[in-house]
Amino acid sequence: MKLSWTNKALADLTRLHQFLAPVNPQAAARVVQSLVEAPHQLRQHPRLGEQLEEFKPREVRRILIGSYEMRYEIAHNNTLYILRLWHTREQR
């Protein structure tokens, strides 16, 4: 299964890093690295995350990576799209 990040998800990564880096640059780098690496397990097990019914008929799911939520879509073209991610304390 192919893995693809949307522009919004990449912007989320940048935003999270910019928020954390002034306080602790090393922690910011570790968080971003863990978020980038997390979807690789989804290539083997794409239905690992909880399906979000409100997006049907699209197959949008979510997983938690520590304190971060990542939403992704399993598309019919055998591609897994990373849609968005944020800290769970953010009001979304």
Side-chain angles (χ1 to χ4, degrees), residues 8 17-19 28 42 53 55 68 92:
K8 286 184 179 183
H17 185 269
Q18 289 173 342
F19 178 78
L42 295 174
E53 300 294 324
F55 293 99
Y68 296 87
R92 297 259 179 151

Side-chain angles (χ1 to χ4, degrees), residues 33-78:
Q33 182 177 357
S34 70
L35 293 171
V36 168
E37 291 174 358
H40 292 288
Q41 69 178 333
L42 295 174
R43 294 172 82 180
Q44 296 289 342
H45 308 284
R47 289 179 175 80
L48 183 67
E50 171 190 0
Q51 185 164 4
L52 301 173
E53 300 294 324
E54 64 265 28
F55 293 99
K56 281 192 168 187
R58 295 170 52 204
E59 190 170 355
V60 176
R61 294 176 171 267
R62 73 180 189 138
I63 58 169
L64 295 177
I65 302 131
S67 297
Y68 296 87
E69 179 173 326
M70 178 178 286
R71 290 194 178 181
Y72 65 97
E73 180 175 2
I74 302 170
H76 295 292
N77 62 357
N78 207 32

Side-chain angles (χ1 to χ4, degrees), residues 21-34:
V23 177
N24 188 333
Q26 292 81 14
R30 283 192 305 271
V31 166
V32 169
Q33 182 177 357
S34 70

Side-chain angles (χ1 to χ4, degrees), residues 80-92:
L80 195 141
Y81 292 97
I82 306 303
L83 302 173
R84 300 299 304 262
L85 55 117
W86 59 83
H87 194 280
T88 55
R89 288 188 180 174
E90 291 182 65
Q91 294 182 353
R92 297 259 179 151

